[in-house]
Amino acid sequence: MPDAHRLNPPAVDVVTSTASAADGAGQTEERTQRSLFGEILDWMLVPLLLLWPLSIAITYLVAKSIANEPFDRALEDKVTVVAQQVKEANGKVITRLTGAATDILHADDVDNIYYQILDSRGIMVEGDPEMPLPTDTDPPQPWATKFRYDFVRNTEVRIAYLYVDLHKTQVEPQLSIEPRLALVQVGETLEKRSQLVNQIIKGVIVPEFIILPVALILVWFALTRGLRPLAELQQRIRARRPDDLSPIDSGYVPEEILPLVGSLNEMLERLSQSINIQKRFIADAAHQMKTPLAGMRMQSELALRQTDQAEIHKSLEQLAKSSKSATRMVNQLLALARAENQTPATKPMQLLELSELARDTLQNWVQTSFNKKIDLGFEQPDYPVLIKGDPTMLHELLNNLIDNALNYTPAGGNATVRVSADEKNKLAFLEVEDNGPGIAPHEREHIFERFYRILGSNVEGSGLGLAIVREIAQQHDAEIDILNNPHCKGHKSPGCVVRVTLHLEPNTVPLDYSN
């Protein structure tokens, strides 16, 4: 059988059957079943519980700021009043605070009040010597009240202080313009502030303790109410009969669940189509099996009634012929069922050399071609043609194409199996060519249907061969074209070329065809 050069298929009318292989399904992983209700509740309550202590902290800071403001104003008034009583006379700082005024300054039932007056040289004029000095690095601004926290007698206090410009308080004017600033400080402990802060926090936190459980109950009720349509949908689906594959009514389904219901309806439609196809297939198969089985029974009964050895032998020959036909039909039915259920997930594709696979398959048909007096040829390129596929399924595909070609090719005719490739478009071609009666254009749309037979062909068969070819082609994402035989121009029989187009893989495996 001679090798052939790379073929460029001629432009002829083509009817294409396109097949798309199913995407490989990912391996399923065992997962813990989760509750949608619980997950939504978690995503609502966990942030709420996390925000609750944050709200307490923010409330404390806000309450502290609120509490400081009125007490700071009162403290500022005190330090201003004391500063107004500071004067300078004869170069000395004096105060006009009386004993009654000092008692009023210290009059506080809750906090301790401290005050201190220092002259421009830092010498204490009056007050509590324990009060610390300010630590400001900026130059002091006269009559500008400032606040700070500090410690007096190991107790934290809030201190208001300001600097008095002694030039403006002199009893007798002095000629010196040297800056002379006296420091006045008034401080108080923080007990009243803390009490007010605690009262504000209690006023906010106590309602939160009441509102939080109520919020939990309301969230629980809202989720139960919101997820009720899911429960109703579940009951409607459970109430269906097992044979009810009609679409689910989406009229009372929430908008968020509509895509899910739409997907379920699409799945039910596909399932219904699949079941109808299976029912039709079983019915057709049962109908097709009746003929050979009935023939076998008739021939066996006839053989039992015969006494002539020649007639008995003739009946047994017919019985063997019917048995062979029934066996072939059963094998094809099993092959078709196997092809329909085969997926890349159940049996992953592997790298194959198409020419080698075709040559191995062709060798099984050499004796049959001799018996039918048909010249069976094989053409392949001088380079490897690599594809990915299932070798068992591709052998079955080519077996059916060769069987179909040999059945329709008359004695003395020829059939050719051809392998070629188009490296530019990354395509591999597997062709089976014959010079039989061909397939009329209006028949080409139906020949891949199950049990379809071309009328007037006078060829025995079940009509399953090309249906098997189509199923296997779909698994390999391949296309099937039916062409007229370009080598039969001018002949009475137009012949036929069945071309299967597969995806070409990069040539990474060097092969030797020298043998």
Side-chain angles (χ1 to χ4, degrees):
M1 300 179 188
D3 291 350
H5 295 291
R6 191 168 172 182
L7 298 178
N8 292 319
V12 271
D13 294 336
V14 177
V15 175
T16 304
S17 172
T18 305
S20 298
D23 295 335
Q27 296 182 353
T28 57
E29 300 178 356
E30 293 185 0
R31 297 180 179 177
T32 305
Q33 194 171 17
R34 296 181 297 177
S35 167
L36 179 62
F37 180 89
E39 191 164 347
I40 296 176
L41 195 63
D42 288 344
W43 279 103
M44 294 184 68
L45 295 185
V46 169
L48 183 62
L49 295 176
L50 291 177
L51 289 174
W52 186 57
L54 181 61
S55 69
I56 295 177
I58 295 175
T59 301
Y60 172 77
L61 296 176
V62 173
K64 191 173 180 181
S65 175
I66 294 174
N68 277 336
E69 187 174 349
F71 290 109
D72 281 351
R73 285 201 300 267
L75 193 60
E76 182 179 8
D77 292 340
K78 290 179 182 179
V79 74
T80 302
V81 170
V82 172
Q84 290 175 350
Q85 306 304 316
V86 176
K87 304 292 181 181
E88 185 181 29
N90 299 322
K92 293 183 179 181
V93 176
I94 60 174
T95 64
R96 293 183 293 181
L97 290 174
T98 62
T102 304
D103 292 338
I104 294 174
L105 185 63
H106 288 88
D108 196 310
D109 296 335
V110 179
D111 286 316
N112 294 325
I113 306 298
Y114 306 97
Y115 80 98
Q116 184 184 71
I117 301 173
L118 302 178
D119 63 12
S120 60
R121 293 169 293 181
I123 299 174
M124 193 179 73
V125 176
E126 188 175 335
D128 299 293
E130 296 90 351
M131 293 190 70
L133 297 176
T135 58
D136 296 341
T137 56
D138 297 331
Q141 299 293 328
W143 300 102
T145 304
K146 295 183 179 181
F147 296 89
R148 75 177 191 276
Y149 288 100
D150 219 319
F151 288 88
V152 176
R153 299 171 186 172
N154 296 325
T155 302
E156 189 175 14
V157 294
R158 179 74 164 170
I159 298 176
Y161 62 98
L162 60 78
Y163 291 90
V164 179
D165 187 357
L166 296 177
H167 286 291
K168 297 182 179 180
T169 63
Q170 291 173 349
V171 178
E172 297 178 0
Q174 301 290 331
L175 297 175
S176 174
I177 60 174
E178 179 183 355
R180 294 173 60 78
L181 300 176
L183 174 63
V184 179
Q185 298 188 104
V186 177
E188 66 177 2
T189 55
L190 308 179
E191 187 63 27
K192 292 195 299 292
R193 300 169 187 258
S194 298
Q195 291 178 359
L196 181 57
V197 170
N198 291 334
Q199 290 175 2
I200 295 174
I201 292 177
K202 288 178 182 178
V204 174
I205 299 302
V206 171
E208 285 188 1
F209 273 112
I210 299 174
I211 292 174
L212 187 60
V214 175
L216 296 179
I217 295 173
L218 292 177
V219 168
W220 186 283
F221 176 77
L223 283 178
T224 305
R225 182 78 177 178
L227 294 178
R228 183 177 298 176
L230 284 177
E232 294 175 353
L233 178 63
Q234 178 187 11
Q235 293 300 326
R236 286 162 54 192
I237 294 176
R238 283 185 174 180
R240 282 174 162 245
R241 300 189 313 274
D243 59 343
D244 185 5
L245 297 178
S246 61
I248 301 171
D249 184 14
S250 59
Y252 300 97
V253 174
E255 183 179 354
E256 290 76 10
I257 313 177
L258 278 178
L260 174 62
V261 174
S263 299
L264 286 174
N265 287 337
E266 291 178 2
M267 184 190 69
L268 289 174
E269 183 180 359
R270 293 195 301 268
L271 182 60
S272 178
Q273 292 176 355
S274 177
I275 291 176
N276 290 334
I277 291 173
Q278 293 297 329
K279 288 180 178 179
R280 187 169 65 251
F281 173 70
I282 293 172
D284 292 342
H287 176 73
Q288 293 292 328
M289 288 297 295
K290 285 181 180 179
T291 301
L293 291 177
M296 292 170 63
R297 180 178 178 180
M298 182 184 66
Q299 293 297 332
S300 61
E301 291 177 351
L302 182 61
L304 290 173
R305 291 196 299 267
Q306 295 291 340
T307 57
D308 186 3
Q309 293 295 327
E311 294 295 331
I312 293 175
H313 186 269
K314 184 177 180 180
S315 296
L316 291 177
E317 286 182 346
Q318 292 295 327
L319 182 62
K321 185 177 180 181
S322 298
S323 174
K324 181 179 179 181
S325 176
T327 300
R328 174 171 173 76
M329 180 174 292
V330 170
N331 289 335
Q332 285 193 313
L333 287 172
L334 293 175
L336 181 59
R338 185 171 63 251
E340 289 178 334
N341 295 321
Q342 189 80 30
T343 63
T346 58
K347 190 169 184 180
M349 303 295 181
Q350 62 187 68
L351 192 64
L352 303 172
E353 210 290 303
L354 187 58
S355 299
E356 181 179 353
L357 181 141
R359 185 172 57 250
D360 292 342
T361 306
L362 188 68
Q363 291 175 356
N364 299 326
W365 293 91
V366 173
Q367 187 60 45
T368 304
S369 67
F370 287 162
N371 295 338
K372 292 187 175 185
K373 299 180 181 180
I374 297 174
D375 180 15
L376 181 60
F378 177 61
E379 298 178 2
Q380 70 178 51
D382 56 358
Y383 50 84
V385 179
L386 301 180
I387 63 169
K388 276 190 176 180
D390 181 352
T392 303
M393 290 291 101
L394 290 177
H395 275 298
E396 186 69 28
L397 177 145
L398 189 54
N399 279 330
N400 282 278
L401 291 179
I402 295 174
D403 181 45
N404 191 69
L406 294 180
N407 284 335
Y408 284 92
T409 301
N414 57 74
T416 304
V417 175
R418 182 179 299 109
V419 175
S420 60
D422 182 355
E423 293 185 352
K424 180 179 179 181
N425 296 312
K426 302 299 180 183
L427 299 175
F429 303 104
L430 177 62
E431 297 178 348
V432 178
E433 176 186 285
D434 64 67
N435 59 355
I439 301 174
H442 66 277
E443 298 279 2
R444 295 177 184 179
E445 298 179 358
H446 305 288
I447 59 173
F448 294 100
E449 298 175 3
R450 297 167 178 170
F451 305 111
Y452 184 82
R453 300 286 307 282
I454 299 177
L455 297 178
S457 60
N458 298 322
V459 176
E460 295 182 358
S462 61
L464 290 173
L466 291 180
I468 296 173
V469 170
R470 181 185 61 179
E471 292 295 335
I472 297 175
Q474 288 177 346
Q475 293 176 10
H476 291 77
D477 194 18
E479 294 183 356
I480 307 176
D481 300 330
I482 307 298
L483 315 171
N484 291 331
N485 189 342
H487 302 102
C488 292
K489 291 181 179 179
H491 293 268
K492 185 177 181 181
S493 298
C496 179
V497 177
V498 180
R499 177 189 297 157
V500 181
T501 305
L502 302 109
H503 296 286
L504 185 66
E505 295 294 320
N507 185 7
T508 57
V509 181
L511 298 175
D512 184 9
Y513 291 102
S514 59
N515 297 326

